Amino acid sequence: MFLPSAASDTLQGKAIQKVNELWGSIPSKSRRTGGWEGYQSIGIPVCKKKYKPFEFRVERRRKDGSVEITVERMFGCHAHSNIRKGVIMRHVERKGWEPFGQWSLSKAKAAAKRETARLNAELTSSQSEYCSSSGYESSLSSSSSSVEVQPVICDSVINNILYRNDDSQRQQQPWQTLCHNGMCNWKIRGKYDDICSEIEEERLNKEDVG
């Protein structure tokens, strides 16, 4: 069901109201010309998942167990982002859409780089404390006198740092909220990322890697 009052404030809500007026379903016997205005059953499914401009993921990147935060621009929720991205690749951004380029990919990557450095420094510090308290460091030094062994950051240390809030991986962590509250928005009027060029560059990079 669709509640008209929910469409009065946001751009998404107004878009849903427009969908309802154009394609909302009404009983066949009471159909009339002039659209579907006044009826509250939408005849097509509407995604209600939340949208965020960027997806941040933490990945292990080297043998020493350090981490790297990667950034992916999103064009919808997890279920629909790639579908809309494909539409943009074929037809560019449609008129009337909120411009995805208003969120700066370069700002998001810079924030991810800073958080990566902070996390790895904290991981290294925590690992050193863990090694000293557990005797792991001394066992490594006694195992080989001629070869310097670099301790590997273990999974338990990484999980304690990355998911520290009540040991719950479902709760959002600081590295997942790097672009909240407009932190990655362009502040210059009329300044947007070129989404089509960005997608094309990504495609070419994948071809080079392949």
Side-chain angles (χ1 to χ4, degrees), residues 2 49 119 152 169:
F2 170 74
K49 295 181 176 67
L119 281 176
V152 176
Q169 295 190 14

Side-chain angles (χ1 to χ4, degrees), residues 174-190:
W175 52 268
Q176 295 173 310
T177 61
L178 294 176
C179 280
H180 281 201
N181 301 320
M183 293 297 294
C184 293
N185 289 58
W186 281 110
K187 301 300 190 293
I188 304 173
R189 183 182 297 275

Side-chain angles (χ1 to χ4, degrees), residues 13 57 75 135:
R57 298 184 183 91
F75 298 94

Side-chain angles (χ1 to χ4, degrees), residues 16-91:
I16 293 174
Q17 172 65 64
K18 188 65 175 179
V19 168
N20 182 59
E21 293 174 1
L22 294 174
W23 296 299
S25 62
I26 60 175
S28 58
K29 291 184 180 180
S30 59
R31 295 199 177 201
R32 57 183 181 178
T33 58
W36 311 91
E37 188 175 2
Y39 292 87
Q40 297 185 355
S41 295
I42 299 178
I44 61 175
V46 177
C47 178
K48 298 179 177 65
K49 295 181 176 67
K50 292 183 178 180
Y51 170 73
K52 52 185 178 180
F54 301 104
E55 177 72 13
F56 296 93
R57 298 184 183 91
V58 175
E59 299 176 355
R60 301 280 286 272
R61 63 181 178 182
R62 290 191 295 268
K63 292 182 179 180
D64 63 0
S66 60
V67 299
E68 180 179 17
I69 300 176
T70 61
V71 184
E72 179 185 1
R73 185 187 292 278
M74 302 297 288
F75 298 94
C77 69
H78 288 283
H80 301 114
S81 180
N82 286 335
I83 296 174
R84 181 170 287 162
K85 184 177 180 180
V87 171
I88 295 174
M89 290 175 67
R90 293 190 300 271
H91 306 293

